[in-house]
Amino acid sequence: MIKKIRLKISQKDKVKSFLFCLFFTVVLWLAQTMSDTYVYERIYPIKFTGYNTQKYSLVMCDTLLPVSVKSTGFQYLYGLLERKKTINFDISESNYYISDGNFVYALPMRDNKDVVKEQISFLHQKELGFLIDTAKIVLTPRTIKKVKLVLKDVTFSFAPQYALYGEASLHPDSIEVYGSEASLKDIDCVETKAQTISNINKSGMYVLELDNSKNKHLDVTMATETLNIYLPVEKYTETTVTLPLKFVSADTTVQARLYPENIELVVDVALKDYKNINSTMFEVEVNYDENTDKQTLPVIVSKFPSVVKIRKINPQQVQYVIIK
């Protein structure tokens, strides 16, 4: 019985020893294999920068850079674990040639080896090779067109007693757009986005965003996405002017008596203009049509200074009696 137990224990020890030796052998083999030098292929995404995207549109470009990397298995494995980076090529000082009106940049890879090494952590690699001779990008000049700017769906909200004094002005009043000639034919203006400028209480430049959402052409871009609008603003106060009504008729022989003969005109005027406002700057009238059967006539303000804003006419209608 004791012999059988010893035999079983001995067999288990042999199995364990065999597995340990096998594992140790595999580890040594793997270490030796991974320490050897191999040539691997890797593919990196690439992009080109250093050109004015508003003046040039992209015709075509290489998007992938295949390379060969000579390194040990451990170094290559380390490289695989690193996040694959995008290789950037700055073409701002690169040579180009013109073909069919396009600007062609063909960057020789042998001249850009250091540029690539700096961006892919080449510290862990032994040798770098390229599987393409050049990285190419082709650009075409965009056509430039100047179009007008249109103020649309913009709300100006003023602080209490403040209002616009005169006319707002756009700076600039036009904008350059870039794109193919065919695309630019469909563009005559650029509108502002729907937006609100709130609590305005002083004159100055205000920034508005431009709306490019209606542009259906992907190759069309704007020189700027904003514009400035100058708003002349003043503080206003209310004043009332009493004015005599004038009776106007196509038939100058017709006369009438008006009830009332005078009306009150309530206006807003800028504080700086308040002392200069007087009744001689205003005229109000009613227009009589002999074919009308109405018993009242609407009051019309036929003359008033541009620096005031009419708030109320009291009354808005007057009665009349034709004098025979």
Side-chain angles (χ1 to χ4, degrees):
M1 182 69 179
I2 294 175
K3 290 182 178 181
K4 290 182 178 181
I5 294 175
R6 287 178 178 175
L7 182 60
K8 289 182 179 179
I9 294 174
S10 177
Q11 290 176 343
K12 288 182 177 179
D13 290 341
K14 289 180 179 180
V15 172
K16 290 181 179 178
S17 297
F18 171 77
L19 293 176
F20 175 78
C21 292
L22 178 63
F23 173 77
F24 185 71
T25 302
V26 170
V27 170
L28 289 177
W29 173 83
L30 183 61
Q32 179 62 40
T33 301
M34 295 294 286
S35 298
D36 291 339
T37 300
Y38 301 92
V39 176
Y40 303 95
E41 292 185 8
R42 294 201 68 183
I43 298 177
Y44 289 91
I46 61 177
K47 68 176 182 179
F48 296 87
T49 60
Y51 66 95
N52 190 331
T53 57
Q54 293 181 338
K55 292 187 177 181
Y56 299 94
S57 60
L58 179 65
V59 177
M60 65 79 63
C61 71
D62 292 325
T63 57
L64 298 174
L65 176 64
V67 300
S68 63
V69 178
K70 187 176 182 180
S71 64
T72 65
F74 287 115
Q75 291 169 333
Y76 179 71
L77 180 61
Y78 179 84
L80 289 178
L81 294 177
E82 285 187 316
R83 183 178 179 182
K84 188 177 290 187
K85 298 180 180 179
T86 298
I87 308 301
N88 176 61
F89 292 109
D90 185 344
I91 65 171
S92 58
E93 297 183 2
S94 300
N95 295 324
Y96 64 87
Y97 63 90
I98 298 177
S99 175
D100 296 328
N102 298 324
F103 294 83
V104 182
Y105 293 80
L107 308 183
M109 288 297 93
R110 65 179 181 273
D111 297 336
N112 287 273
K113 180 174 288 190
D114 291 338
V115 173
V116 176
K117 283 183 178 181
E118 291 174 358
Q119 299 183 64
I120 64 171
S121 301
F122 192 73
L123 176 65
H124 304 287
Q125 319 299 334
K126 289 187 175 181
E127 186 176 326
L128 176 67
F130 297 100
L131 302 182
I132 58 174
D133 295 328
T134 60
K136 182 181 289 186
I137 178 173
V138 181
L139 305 174
T140 188
R142 296 181 188 270
T143 301
I144 302 176
K145 182 179 181 180
K146 183 173 285 189
V147 298
K148 63 180 180 180
L149 291 170
V150 177
L151 196 65
K152 185 177 181 181
D153 297 330
V154 178
T155 302
F156 301 108
S157 176
F158 295 89
Q161 287 191 268
Y162 287 87
L164 194 64
Y165 185 83
E167 297 291 333
S169 56
L170 299 179
H171 300 271
D173 59 0
S174 60
I175 185 177
E176 289 183 343
V177 291
Y178 308 96
S180 64
E181 187 174 350
S183 298
L184 293 182
K185 287 181 180 179
D186 299 331
I187 301 177
D188 295 319
C189 67
V190 175
E191 299 175 347
T192 52
K193 287 183 179 180
Q195 53 205 292
T196 299
I197 301 179
S198 302
N199 200 38
I200 303 171
N201 61 6
K202 62 181 179 180
S203 299
M205 288 286 191
Y206 296 84
V207 179
L208 299 177
E209 294 183 46
L210 297 176
D211 185 6
N212 195 34
S213 62
K214 296 180 181 179
N215 171 29
K216 305 303 181 184
H217 303 285
L218 298 179
D219 66 321
V220 173
T221 58
M222 302 185 299
T224 179
E225 296 182 353
T226 62
L227 67 85
N228 293 323
I229 183 170
Y230 179 76
L231 299 179
V233 177
E234 291 291 339
K235 190 173 185 179
Y236 281 73
T237 187
E238 182 181 289
T239 187
T240 300
V241 184
T242 302
L243 301 169
L245 266 175
K246 181 180 179 181
F247 180 81
V248 178
S249 173
D251 184 352
T252 57
T253 63
V254 177
Q255 298 183 9
R257 187 176 296 278
L258 303 175
Y259 300 95
E261 295 182 342
N262 299 312
I263 64 102
E264 289 184 341
L265 191 62
V266 181
V267 298
D268 288 333
V269 59
L271 289 178
K272 69 176 186 177
D273 297 323
Y274 182 80
K275 294 182 179 180
N276 300 325
I277 298 299
N278 58 69
S279 61
T280 62
M281 298 177 173
F282 301 84
E283 288 183 3
V284 288
E285 63 186 37
V286 291
N287 292 322
Y288 172 72
D289 182 355
E290 61 182 10
N291 296 318
T292 186
D293 56 357
K294 295 181 179 179
Q295 301 301 310
T296 60
L297 298 174
V299 176
I300 300 171
V301 182
S302 55
K303 176 184 174 183
F304 63 95
S306 60
V307 295
V308 304
K309 302 177 186 296
I310 298 174
R311 178 180 290 273
K312 184 179 179 182
I313 302 173
N314 185 31
Q316 294 182 339
Q317 300 272 342
V318 297
Q319 294 180 330
Y320 67 96
V321 174
I322 300 296
I323 301 175
K324 300 295 185 179

